[in-house]
Amino acid sequence: MGILLELHDTDDQEVQSPSVELSKIAVSSAHGEDSPYFSGWKAYDENPYHEIHNPSGVIQMGLAENQVSFDLVEEYLEKHSEKALFGKKTNSGFRDNALFQDYHGLLSFRKAMASFMEQIRGGRAKFEPTRIVLTAGATAANELLTFILANPGDALLIPTPYYPGFDRDLRWRTGVNIVPIHCESSNNFAITPEALEAAYETARGLNLRVAGVLITNPSNPLGATIQRKVLNEILNFVVEKNIHLISDEIYSGSVFSSSEFVSMAEILEDRKYKNNEKERVHIVYSLSKDLGLPGFRVGTIYSYNDKVVTTARRMSSFTLISSQTQHLLACMLSDEKFVEKYIRINRERLKRRYEMIVNGLREAGIECLKGNAGLFCWMNLGPFLEDPTMESELEIWKLIVNEVKLNISPGSSCHCSEPGWFRVCFANMSENTLEVALKRIRDFVDKMEWKRGGRKPISGNGAGDCKPN
Amino acid sequence: MKLLSRKGAICNTHGQDTPYFLGWQEYEKNPYDEVRNPNGIIQMGLAENQLSFDRLESWLAANPDAAGFKKNGVSIFRDLALFQDYHGLPSFKKAMTDFMSDIRGNKVEFDPKNLVLMAGATSANEALIFSLGAGEGDALLLPTPYYPGFDRDLKWRTKAEIVPIICSSSNGFQITKSALEKAYKTAGKKNLKVKGILVTNPSNPLGTTISKEELNLLVDFIDKKQIDLISDEIYSATVFNSPEFTSIMEILEERKLRDTQLWNRVHIVYSLSKDLGLPGFRVGAIYSNNPTVVGTATKMSSFGLVSSQTQHLLGEMLSDKIFTQNYLSENQKRLKKRQEQLVSGLKNAGIHCLKGNAGLFTWVDMSHLLKNKTFEAEMDLWKKIVYQVGLNISPGSSCHCSEPGWFRVCFANMSEATLDLAMVRLKDFVDSLLTSSTSTSTSTSAERRVYKTKSGSRWKLFKWICGLMFDKREQDEWIDNYCF
């Protein structure tokens, strides 16, 4: 009883057509790797830009990495390598560390993480080390929470546009569904109570039990923080429906101005940590974006629900953080001087990069959503589309990848309900490369205008006027 | 508050309520320490390899670049910090596969492309089950006794079931054809579809290598039933006596099964937690010749990648072939010596064990000390050993052994002196059992004798030196971690 199937594989090696039945999980496309998000990467991989060796290559602007503050981390390592890296003298720490596989995680590291998270929030919220569960990256944290909070077949409500990786992280092995909370450019993609309710009804209409709401704050791909008023409304909503709330705050340290970020932790604090409110709130964090260390696999779940903490901790056995890495980061993040300096300078640099790209795009006649956080801007090419359709969006995207040679992420891969929006990353390259990218865009827009007979782009879909946040 | 998911909260197949974990808890409340707590419980339930750290430490001291994010003297910190490619660091994968080959005497060659890295064998085993599509309604056949952690790792989130292949002491717990058939039938009766067999070779808890005959039997069986075979070879470098270790891959090569359908159905799980003694670093791997399984598992490894910092360090270390050759042979010698110390100590107490040639533990027969041949009696004996004798060992029932009275006793996670002490305590206990006229379970609160170690003064000197190196904060943290 063989079922011959061809698998779409991103590897180079040829996939044999198997003659035995494949598991559902193997053939499921819920790993999400067939979307443009990933095929843009391919174009880059095949022809990557290099300032000297390949100046006409594809510039990677689809990767939300923070490369602007490495020097600060390197400086720290230079000064403290003996302690942080099991130098020659403190070699005896190596043994205990190598044996340490306790799923509670190194206490010193949890304390350092709690303190780091507090400092990012300007001390406006407190985090207890005993509630921190460590996982190998936010990818693992989000999946783990989904396993715990939702049953197969249940639904998580997620505001659009959202990070394409969620399609895989939250659905693939868990069997949970995502139902979008549609957000629109008319109010800068803010989440509204009506949209929340509509998503809930949609899920119920599909006979799906709603397990919770997942928000990313600051938002990916919008590059903007969620307002206090909206956060309160979301909390009211989940309380009313008696469901969970996951707040992925992975970009919280990348807000350009500290005072503009309001964490779900602060909302709970404001509302005096009412039992029936805090029990349903879970915060996800990671060092991949704020510290620029995605390779080290450091994620956390912070939950106010004891049962969730206990279960998540046990489940984290499947995804523990290397004790070697925990030790290094415990040293680094408990260094208050370093942390203060890093958070401050990182913010300044990201802000500067953001302004550079937004102004550069504006010079080319392209507007972006007003952002205040993150490693990317949300760019509006709506006025340049042939038609206000997803097909036109993909057409222009292909042009940008193949002719302008910039890998950016089309809004459709982020499930945006309006065509024409693109996420453009700015923190994973040098300023020179960013200048090159901006020049290419300017040239591209000029060419497009020439094609249209010199007409300026019409702000057709109402999104051209971006109101301040 | 509201319900959490069935899978997460209510289901207790995380296995945290078994004696295996309860014994750990007792230990953590009252851990033995030569100076601070000489009457505490000695941890003999933890399969850790602590015998060869000095080798690792001296390599680190001689090669500071590896831990210092440098390669050939140049900093590669940025590249490592950004490296999250689920294909893994190529230099590390090459070093891993070479290492795996070396362990097998280079009788098998492994292709790095077929290796998928994951955060520990715990992670790798689970991901492999998911990748094979085993889930609700499916069964995996495992020979008993088996590692208690499998109940959680293979079943919890996948919802697959485990059906035991019952092995008996009558033939040294070897796997037989009839046991395999019986297990397969049992699964059918429970309406479960058998997806595959998982064996641990060398075996945990038996401490023995699986024989060629058994391996051939397994290959025949999976061929006949058209199912998969997972060989967890996590202890492959801990083989210290004959018979030599035979990897399942060798059998496939010998039988010229390369590139056949069967070739695609056999998968290996590996890790550096036991062989190198680095469980904290979370380095596990799936090795498969099946491109679909490799492809699926690779994507799935996103949920448990190995830290790039660790990949680099160990990539450098394992690429040093002189180091690895020396390490492997020295490690074997030390394990052999330590096991002999345990076995002779047990013999001295009139206790026999299965003849082991591998692993970090010995499979011990204490059935003659049971009140009666029941698992209740085994539990009684176990409790006495934990609470009265002060040794945390693992009862066979927690490993799903079908015969009461067997225990797994670890030997590689303590000093020689501590092992000596453990044997003294055990002998005293056995002597008291055999000389007392009534059952010791009726005796009043046990008196725990104070045991002095021979190396008391040496220990004090060592501690003084440590005090110069560790600061108090690190010492306190150590205590915190164990008493958390």
Side-chain angles (χ1 to χ4, degrees):
Chain A
M1 239 188 343
I3 301 171
L4 288 175
L5 285 162
E6 258 189 285
L7 264 195
H8 193 43
D9 197 76
T10 52
D11 289 343
D12 284 332
Q13 63 180 138
E14 233 182 76
V15 178
Q16 295 169 12
S17 293
S19 54
V20 288
E21 196 176 318
L22 291 177
S23 70
K24 291 197 187 66
I25 219 165
V27 301
S28 156
S29 58
H31 55 68
E33 301 223 355
D34 307 322
S35 72
Y37 183 68
F38 291 97
S39 44
W41 282 40
K42 264 198 216 167
Y44 167 78
D45 280 339
E46 281 158 16
N47 181 21
Y49 171 84
H50 187 279
E51 206 162 334
I52 300 162
H53 303 307
N54 191 17
S56 58
V58 176
I59 298 178
Q60 176 64 282
M61 304 190 89
L63 199 45
E65 277 177 354
N66 181 359
Q67 295 193 29
V68 309
S69 304
F70 271 135
D71 57 318
L72 300 174
V73 177
E74 283 169 328
E75 188 191 311
Y76 173 87
L77 288 176
E78 267 310 297
K79 287 201 195 116
H80 301 93
S81 60
E82 278 300 311
K83 188 163 189 211
L85 302 175
F86 300 119
K88 286 177 222 178
K89 292 188 199 117
T90 51
N91 226 347
S92 44
F94 170 76
R95 184 179 295 226
D96 295 334
N97 186 257
L99 288 171
F100 187 84
Q101 56 171 332
D102 181 349
Y103 59 32
H104 289 88
L106 272 181
L107 180 58
S108 56
F109 180 48
R110 279 181 286 127
K111 282 185 175 158
M113 276 296 267
S115 156
F116 187 62
M117 288 166 74
E118 283 173 0
Q119 288 190 256
I120 282 174
R121 289 155 184 75
R124 296 184 295 273
K126 280 213 70 55
F127 292 96
E128 294 165 55
T130 51
R131 294 195 167 282
I132 289 186
V133 177
L134 301 173
T135 62
T139 299
N142 280 315
E143 192 204 33
L144 213 139
L145 272 177
T146 306
F147 266 121
I148 292 176
L149 305 176
N151 288 314
D154 285 354
L156 283 176
L157 310 182
I158 306 190
T160 64
Y162 62 78
Y163 162 56
F166 282 153
D167 288 327
R168 172 197 65 191
D169 298 351
L170 310 177
R171 301 185 317 161
W172 190 18
R173 303 193 299 183
T174 61
V176 169
N177 299 293
I178 294 176
V179 171
I181 301 165
H182 291 292
C183 300
E184 295 168 12
S185 60
S186 54
N187 70 341
N188 295 316
F189 297 95
I191 302 159
T192 65
E194 294 75 31
L196 284 164
E197 193 62 53
Y200 190 88
E201 290 310 310
T202 303
R204 300 301 297 133
L206 292 168
N207 244 332
L208 305 173
R209 176 185 159 267
V210 178
V213 171
L214 188 150
I215 58 174
T216 307
N217 177 28
S219 160
N220 172 14
L222 301 179
T225 52
I226 300 183
Q227 304 212 319
R228 185 182 292 269
K229 171 171 167 290
V230 176
L231 291 171
N232 273 300
E233 283 165 357
I234 296 172
L235 186 55
N236 293 339
F237 177 78
V238 299
V239 170
E240 189 218 326
K241 302 294 188 197
N242 195 17
I243 57 180
H244 290 279
L245 175 58
I246 300 174
S247 180
D248 186 344
E249 303 188 352
I250 196 179
Y251 292 98
S252 47
S254 308
V255 185
F256 311 148
S257 157
S258 145
S259 54
E260 293 189 23
F261 173 59
V262 180
S263 163
M264 213 54 219
E266 286 175 60
I267 300 292
L268 285 178
E269 164 110 15
D270 285 347
R271 288 159 75 139
K272 312 258 191 290
Y273 294 111
K274 284 204 209 65
N275 257 353
N276 77 328
E277 292 188 348
K278 70 177 182 175
E279 274 189 315
R280 59 187 80 248
V281 173
H282 323 281
I283 294 176
V284 168
Y285 186 56
S286 158
L287 299 181
S288 299
K289 309 296 178 184
D290 292 346
L291 276 187
L293 307 173
F296 290 5
R297 313 316 302 147
V298 181
T300 75
I301 294 170
Y302 190 91
S303 176
Y304 298 88
N305 181 317
D306 292 344
K307 190 111 217 249
V308 172
V309 171
T310 307
T311 309
R313 193 177 279 145
R314 288 176 179 160
M315 219 182 254
S316 70
S317 303
F318 296 112
T319 183
L320 297 176
I321 301 178
S322 167
S323 53
Q324 179 196 17
T325 303
Q326 289 190 49
H327 173 77
L328 164 62
L329 295 172
C331 292
M332 198 163 80
L333 296 183
S334 50
D335 185 328
E336 286 180 4
K337 270 211 197 110
F338 165 79
V339 167
E340 185 280 325
K341 181 176 169 190
Y342 183 93
I343 293 177
R344 177 176 38 89
I345 296 181
N346 183 49
R347 277 199 182 118
E348 284 163 12
R349 292 177 179 178
L350 288 175
K351 180 173 186 182
R352 195 181 124 106
R353 266 318 158 87
Y354 172 79
E355 282 165 357
M356 190 177 151
I357 196 176
V358 166
N359 293 335
L361 289 171
R362 187 169 290 136
E363 273 169 41
I366 299 174
E367 288 299 324
C368 299
L369 184 73
K370 187 166 194 318
N372 63 346
L375 312 173
F376 32 75
C377 61
W378 190 234
M379 176 175 80
N380 184 20
L381 291 184
F384 297 89
L385 297 185
E386 285 288 328
D387 312 292
T389 61
M390 290 303 171
E391 289 73 29
S392 283
E393 177 185 288
L394 283 177
E395 282 304 315
I396 211 176
W397 175 72
K398 280 180 200 154
L399 271 177
I400 294 176
V401 171
N402 298 316
E403 289 187 21
V404 187
K405 303 256 193 339
L406 303 176
N407 179 33
I408 61 179
S409 311
S412 48
S413 69
C414 303
H415 302 278
C416 186
S417 42
E418 296 172 26
W421 291 88
F422 292 81
R423 188 191 78 168
V424 186
C425 298
F426 56 71
N428 62 314
M429 65 194 73
S430 68
E431 280 191 11
N432 284 345
T433 307
L434 188 49
E435 287 291 3
V436 171
L438 288 170
K439 177 164 194 316
R440 288 186 190 180
I441 292 177
R442 279 196 296 274
D443 293 345
F444 169 68
V445 171
D446 287 345
K447 211 165 86 172
M448 297 266 299
E449 285 187 0
W450 179 82
K451 274 193 184 152
R452 287 171 213 267
R455 282 176 301 155
K456 276 214 171 106
I458 310 163
S459 42
N461 56 3
D465 312 323
C466 295
K467 306 176 189 63
N469 222 4
Chain B
M1 174 63 221
K2 53 170 321 316
L3 286 173
L4 297 179
S5 79
R6 287 190 302 270
K7 201 182 278 194
I10 299 166
C11 169
N12 63 4
T13 46
H14 53 72
Q16 301 261 153
D17 308 318
T18 61
Y20 181 70
F21 290 100
L22 291 173
W24 279 40
Q25 280 176 27
E26 283 310 308
Y27 165 78
E28 278 176 13
K29 284 187 213 158
N30 181 22
Y32 170 81
D33 180 285
E34 195 159 344
V35 173
R36 288 190 285 216
N37 190 18
N39 292 323
I41 297 177
I42 297 175
Q43 176 62 283
M44 303 190 89
L46 199 46
E48 273 175 3
N49 181 0
Q50 294 193 27
L51 303 188
S52 305
F53 272 125
D54 57 316
R55 287 293 166 121
L56 300 174
E57 283 160 354
S58 63
W59 187 90
L60 281 177
N63 298 273
D65 277 6
F69 299 105
K70 292 200 175 103
K71 196 176 172 87
N72 302 322
V74 177
S75 170
I76 53 165
F77 173 76
R78 290 184 192 212
D79 295 326
L80 286 176
L82 291 172
F83 188 83
Q84 54 172 334
D85 182 352
Y86 56 30
H87 292 99
L89 207 58
S91 54
F92 178 48
K93 285 188 27 175
K94 175 89 180 49
M96 274 286 271
T97 48
D98 284 349
F99 187 60
M100 288 168 71
S101 269
D102 283 344
I103 289 172
R104 291 154 182 76
N106 292 301
K107 290 187 214 142
V108 196
E109 227 185 77
F110 293 98
D111 183 351
K113 282 214 185 84
N114 291 343
L115 192 75
V116 181
L117 298 172
M118 294 210 64
T122 299
S123 191
N125 273 313
E126 193 203 35
L128 189 48
I129 304 305
F130 269 124
S131 299
L132 293 177
E136 193 148 19
D138 295 327
L140 300 157
L141 309 183
L142 268 68
T144 64
Y146 61 78
Y147 162 57
F150 281 148
D151 288 323
R152 171 197 64 188
D153 300 351
L154 310 179
K155 301 193 323 180
W156 191 11
R157 303 193 298 185
T158 63
K159 295 249 182 138
E161 278 298 334
I162 293 177
V163 171
I165 300 162
I166 299 178
C167 301
S168 106
S169 60
S170 60
N171 71 341
F173 295 95
Q174 295 208 327
I175 302 163
T176 63
K177 185 156 182 246
S178 66
L180 284 166
E181 293 283 358
K182 197 159 175 224
Y184 193 89
K185 280 206 184 78
T186 304
K189 282 196 203 124
K190 291 183 171 182
N191 261 326
L192 297 169
K193 180 164 186 281
V194 177
K195 273 295 196 194
I197 301 177
L198 188 149
V199 300
T200 307
N201 179 24
S203 162
N204 173 14
L206 300 178
T208 55
T209 46
I210 298 185
S211 65
K212 276 196 172 180
E213 291 72 36
E214 288 166 277
L215 292 172
N216 275 301
L217 200 60
L218 287 164
V219 170
D220 292 337
F221 191 78
I222 63 163
D223 190 18
K224 184 167 140 201
K225 305 291 189 193
Q226 300 270 294
I227 58 180
D228 285 63
L229 175 61
I230 300 172
S231 181
D232 183 349
E233 303 188 350
I234 195 179
Y235 292 99
S236 45
T238 64
V239 182
F240 47 79
N241 253 337
S242 63
E244 249 186 2
F245 171 61
T246 306
S247 167
I248 192 70
M249 287 301 171
E250 276 180 63
I251 300 292
L252 294 181
E253 294 277 17
E254 259 176 34
R255 290 171 63 155
K256 306 226 190 314
L257 291 168
R258 187 177 263 275
D259 297 325
T260 63
Q261 220 197 59
L262 212 46
W263 185 247
N264 279 357
R265 279 216 233 94
V266 174
H267 324 280
I268 288 179
V269 167
Y270 187 54
S271 160
L272 298 180
S273 299
K274 310 295 178 181
D275 292 346
L276 278 189
L278 305 171
F281 286 9
R282 314 317 301 149
V283 180
I286 294 167
Y287 187 88
S288 177
N289 296 307
N290 184 328
T292 309
V293 171
V294 171
T296 305
T298 300
K299 295 180 176 96
M300 224 177 253
S301 68
S302 306
F303 299 111
L305 296 175
V306 179
S307 167
S308 56
Q309 176 194 18
T310 303
Q311 289 192 51
H312 174 64
L313 169 63
L314 297 176
E316 296 292 283
M317 191 189 277
L318 295 182
S319 304
D320 184 343
K321 300 290 170 75
I322 297 175
F323 167 76
T324 56
Q325 301 277 18
N326 285 334
Y327 179 93
L328 287 173
S329 67
E330 183 61 28
N331 184 47
Q332 276 170 15
K333 286 197 193 105
R334 295 178 184 186
L335 287 171
K336 179 174 182 174
K337 187 160 177 244
R338 201 52 75 82
Q339 189 245 23
E340 282 167 358
Q341 185 187 350
L342 172 64
V343 170
S344 72
L346 289 169
K347 199 168 171 196
N348 197 29
I351 297 172
H352 296 286
C353 27
L354 186 69
K355 189 168 195 300
N357 65 329
L360 310 173
F361 33 73
T362 295
W363 189 234
V364 177
D365 183 2
M366 295 207 229
S367 55
H368 62 294
L369 300 175
L370 298 182
K371 274 200 305 276
N372 47 59
K373 297 276 187 283
T374 62
F375 287 108
E376 287 74 27
E378 179 184 284
M379 271 298 109
D380 280 345
L381 178 61
W382 176 71
K383 280 180 196 155
K384 284 196 195 97
I385 294 177
V386 172
Y387 294 105
Q388 291 176 24
V389 188
L391 305 178
N392 179 32
I393 61 179
S394 311
S397 48
S398 69
C399 304
H400 301 277
C401 186
S402 53
E403 299 166 32
W406 291 85
F407 292 80
R408 187 190 79 166
V409 182
C410 300
F411 57 74
N413 63 312
M414 66 193 72
S415 67
E416 277 185 35
T418 307
L419 186 51
D420 270 342
L421 173 62
M423 293 299 97
V424 167
R425 286 187 188 180
L426 193 56
K427 179 156 167 53
D428 285 349
F429 170 70
V430 172
D431 288 346
S432 74
L433 266 189
L434 298 176
T435 55
S436 72
S437 50
T438 56
S439 158
T440 50
S441 62
T442 59
S443 63
T444 50
S445 58
E447 281 171 21
R448 296 282 310 287
R449 290 179 228 176
V450 176
Y451 293 98
K452 288 211 173 100
T453 67
K454 292 170 201 166
S455 53
S457 56
R458 268 194 287 140
W459 176 254
K460 284 189 182 114
L461 176 64
F462 176 68
K463 286 290 291 174
W464 177 75
I465 294 170
C466 275
L468 301 179
M469 299 194 308
F470 277 107
D471 64 33
K472 179 149 194 316
R473 203 186 72 164
E474 281 170 303
Q475 285 191 22
D476 286 348
E477 183 183 35
W478 170 259
I479 296 171
D480 277 345
N481 280 326
Y482 272 92
C483 302
F484 186 83

